[in-house]
Amino acid sequence: MSSEFTFWTETFKIKQFEIDTDGYALLSVIADNMQEAAGSHAESLGWSMQSLLDQNMGWILNRFTLDIHRYPKAGEVIRIETWPSGADRLFAYRDFELFDDRGGLILSARTAWLILDIKRRRPIATPEDVKEIGARSIRNARIEIESKIPAPEGDVVKSIRFPIRRSDLDINQHVNNVRYMEWVLETLYEVQNIRPRFLDIQFKSEGKYGEVAISERYDAGSGDHIHRIVRESDGKELCVAIVHNA
Amino acid sequence: MSSEFTFWTETFKIKQFEIDTDGYALLSVIADNMQEAAGSHAESLGWSMQSLLDQNMGWILNRFTLDIHRYPKAGEVIRIETWPSGADRLFAYRDFELFDDRGGLILSARTAWLILDIKRRRPIATPEDVKEIGARSIRNARIEIESKIPAPEGDVVKSIRFPIRRSDLDINQHVNNVRYMEWVLETLYEVQNIRPRFLDIQFKSEGKYGEVAISERYDAGSGDHIHRIVRESDGKELCVAIVHNA
């Protein structure tokens, strides 16, 4: 097997329907395109969603951390660079850097993925060749990762109910992780759009069609916010997040 | 001024995050890309959203009729062909045909647009040069248009509340018309995805942040459905639609 550093790059253009009411690209659109690039890269490495599904396994995004330098506008062409950046017993890590057409940094990000045994609904140990690919990494995205997203303190400042729709689901019949990102951000909007500088989100459980998700925001001082999304019926946490300088 | 037929073509690729849980492209994604192409063409003709906004005017989509031959899958590259197909006192019409990479027809569509005086919130008469462009049309999309979307009869079969979110708005701070399309389709989903063969939707009023929209479905026999979306607070109709063979 090759010992080369493996790396993927592709571009996408921000379209008119992918912007907020101030004209800036939606973070959800950027996140969708990052995962599209990750999927294409995994496929080229022999670890596509489909090849895993054929073995009753699936890639699950566990954590998504973004440090955002600026928000692009409609018409801008964004270059995504992404690569496996390491792996341990349960997680495979993948970093990203996005650049504009003059080479300016748009954002840096790290993702943590696990492989699920679909029948047993349990993660499996990271396969040796995924570990081996991760061990070849020679580059890190410029981003600070905290070990843990802090638990919220004090009272809920804002909460919004999201009955789970068909249009919220991904191919696995669970809520698309980008939808959770939208629901986190929605609790920050009052009269104006919010474009966070930093967002760290951890996915804990799967939301299903017909359930109701409640997105809660807690203030953490200095413009920081802690978020939880819980299932209404039993309070189970679907995800937690922290947002800086929103 | 040129008397040439004016025509626009562009392609887009269906991405992994743009499909339903059966793997078929979302109609909302196709509709978004059609409007993106229409916007690019209008811009090239000197009638961009921005040039109108500078004169306190805006293009408003009044009606969107789609006859869908098949739904593409992720990875397919779709060619959009679009052109102004006529104009009368209030409306400018634009047709579309979408093809796959072997030239197979994906769908045919017609749209009707009006130009709004933003300050007075009233449509203005179609400008002469927009009429002149429409009069040059030498092609019609292969689609049957009924004069009017029929009023519903009988009882509501299904209704779903949609509190209007930030993420539902377009650049004009009103609900994006494609969101209404999603809300119409959502009332058709029970356990499986629905991919209608024909959808005709007319937009009647603007939905705003914080309002609640209710999407109602009425059965019209033979697999046909009549839909209304109304504002919860006063029952005002935001849009009406008919769906065939859902």
Side-chain angles (χ1 to χ4, degrees):
Chain A
M1 180 165 287
S2 161
S3 62
E4 264 176 57
F5 173 58
T6 177
F7 176 83
W8 187 263
T9 181
E10 63 183 55
T11 60
F12 70 103
K13 184 177 173 179
I14 308 289
K15 298 181 180 179
Q16 289 293 339
F17 59 84
E18 296 176 330
I19 56 178
D20 66 22
T21 57
D22 292 334
Y24 291 98
L26 296 168
L27 195 56
S28 55
V29 166
I30 296 173
D32 272 332
N33 280 283
M34 290 167 69
Q35 292 186 60
E36 182 82 5
S40 299
H41 194 193
E43 188 170 341
S44 83
L45 295 169
W47 289 97
S48 72
M49 285 283 178
Q50 191 56 54
S51 70
L52 285 177
L53 265 181
D54 294 344
Q55 304 165 69
N56 278 307
M57 299 189 293
W59 282 114
I60 302 289
L61 181 61
N62 176 262
R63 190 163 169 186
F64 198 168
T65 314
L66 300 114
D67 188 314
I68 303 134
H69 288 247
R70 77 169 181 90
Y71 284 77
K73 292 212 154 195
E76 284 200 56
V77 174
I78 309 301
R79 186 175 83 255
I80 299 177
E81 300 186 353
T82 180
W83 60 95
S85 55
D88 52 31
R89 199 177 62 83
L90 275 187
F91 296 104
Y93 303 94
R94 173 177 283 282
D95 284 10
F96 296 84
E97 288 193 325
L98 274 58
F99 298 92
D100 61 31
D101 60 4
R102 292 166 307 172
L105 186 64
I106 299 278
L107 67 82
S108 299
R110 174 160 293 177
T111 50
W113 302 78
L114 48 82
I115 296 181
L116 196 72
D117 177 325
I118 289 176
K119 282 195 179 152
R120 301 173 61 217
R121 308 306 300 168
R122 286 184 56 180
I124 65 166
T126 309
E128 283 308 314
D129 51 344
V130 169
K131 274 192 186 166
E132 193 269 334
I133 290 169
R136 293 184 229 155
S137 180
I138 54 170
R139 178 172 169 186
N140 284 315
R142 285 159 277 183
I143 186 167
E144 297 277 331
I145 313 277
E146 299 289 322
S147 61
K148 204 168 173 297
I149 294 170
E153 285 178 32
D155 296 330
V156 176
V157 175
K158 184 159 184 174
S159 81
I160 305 182
R161 293 176 83 244
F162 291 91
I164 295 172
R165 317 287 188 202
R166 271 271 156 194
S167 56
D168 298 325
L169 305 184
D170 63 21
I171 188 104
N172 298 316
Q173 310 269 351
H174 300 128
V175 174
N176 183 321
N177 64 70
V178 172
R179 207 62 81 180
Y180 288 127
M181 198 183 283
E182 285 178 5
W183 296 348
V184 162
L185 296 179
E186 194 76 33
T187 67
L188 290 163
Y189 299 134
E190 297 292 342
V191 284
Q192 63 182 14
N193 293 311
I194 296 291
R195 289 180 293 277
R197 187 188 66 67
F198 180 93
L199 185 150
D200 190 356
I201 184 166
Q202 187 176 10
F203 306 99
K204 304 188 78 166
S205 285
E206 301 156 331
K208 296 191 186 71
Y209 178 64
E211 296 178 350
V212 176
I214 299 181
S215 180
E216 298 178 340
R217 165 164 70 85
Y218 301 79
D219 279 347
S222 313
D224 294 354
H225 302 276
I226 306 287
H227 299 261
R228 294 192 330 143
I229 298 179
V230 297
R231 185 161 61 203
E232 188 174 58
S233 61
D234 62 358
K236 189 173 177 65
E237 267 183 3
L238 302 177
C239 81
V240 293
I242 184 166
V243 170
H244 292 174
N245 290 350
Chain B
M1 182 165 289
S2 162
S3 62
E4 264 175 58
F5 172 58
T6 177
F7 175 83
W8 187 264
T9 181
E10 63 183 58
T11 59
F12 71 101
K13 183 177 173 179
I14 307 290
K15 298 180 180 178
Q16 288 292 340
F17 60 85
E18 297 176 327
I19 56 178
D20 66 23
T21 56
D22 292 333
Y24 291 99
L26 296 168
L27 195 56
S28 54
V29 165
I30 297 173
D32 272 332
N33 280 283
M34 291 167 68
Q35 292 187 60
E36 181 83 5
S40 298
H41 194 192
E43 188 171 341
S44 82
L45 295 169
W47 288 97
S48 72
M49 285 285 179
Q50 191 56 55
S51 70
L52 285 177
L53 265 181
D54 294 343
Q55 304 165 69
N56 278 306
M57 299 189 292
W59 282 114
I60 302 290
L61 181 60
N62 176 262
R63 191 163 167 185
F64 198 168
T65 313
L66 301 114
D67 189 314
I68 303 134
H69 288 247
R70 77 168 181 91
Y71 284 77
K73 292 212 152 193
E76 284 201 57
V77 175
I78 309 300
R79 186 174 84 254
I80 298 176
E81 300 186 354
T82 179
W83 61 95
S85 56
D88 52 30
R89 199 177 62 84
L90 274 187
F91 295 104
Y93 302 94
R94 171 177 284 281
D95 284 10
F96 296 85
E97 288 194 324
L98 274 58
F99 299 91
D100 61 31
D101 61 4
R102 291 165 308 171
L105 186 65
I106 300 277
L107 68 83
S108 300
R110 173 160 292 177
T111 50
W113 302 80
L114 48 82
I115 295 179
L116 196 72
D117 177 326
I118 288 175
K119 282 198 179 150
R120 299 173 62 217
R121 308 305 300 169
R122 287 184 54 181
I124 64 165
T126 309
E128 282 308 314
D129 52 345
V130 169
K131 274 193 187 166
E132 193 268 335
I133 290 169
R136 293 184 228 156
S137 180
I138 54 170
R139 178 172 168 185
N140 284 314
R142 287 159 277 182
I143 187 167
E144 297 277 330
I145 312 277
E146 299 288 322
S147 61
K148 204 168 173 297
I149 294 171
E153 286 178 31
D155 296 331
V156 177
V157 175
K158 184 158 183 175
S159 81
I160 305 182
R161 293 176 83 244
F162 291 91
I164 296 172
R165 317 288 188 202
R166 273 270 156 194
S167 55
D168 298 324
L169 306 185
D170 62 20
I171 189 105
N172 298 315
Q173 309 268 351
H174 301 128
V175 174
N176 183 319
N177 64 70
V178 171
R179 206 61 82 180
Y180 288 126
M181 196 181 285
E182 283 179 5
W183 297 348
V184 162
L185 296 179
E186 194 75 33
T187 66
L188 290 162
Y189 299 134
E190 298 291 342
V191 282
Q192 61 181 16
N193 294 311
I194 295 292
R195 291 180 292 277
R197 187 189 65 70
F198 180 93
L199 186 150
D200 190 356
I201 185 166
Q202 186 175 11
F203 307 98
K204 304 188 78 165
S205 284
E206 302 156 331
K208 296 189 186 73
Y209 179 64
E211 296 178 349
V212 176
I214 300 181
S215 181
E216 298 177 340
R217 165 163 70 86
Y218 301 79
D219 280 346
S222 313
D224 295 354
H225 302 276
I226 306 288
H227 299 262
R228 294 190 334 142
I229 297 179
V230 298
R231 185 161 60 204
E232 188 175 59
S233 61
D234 61 359
K236 189 173 179 65
E237 267 183 1
L238 302 177
C239 80
V240 293
I242 185 166
V243 170
H244 293 175
N245 289 349

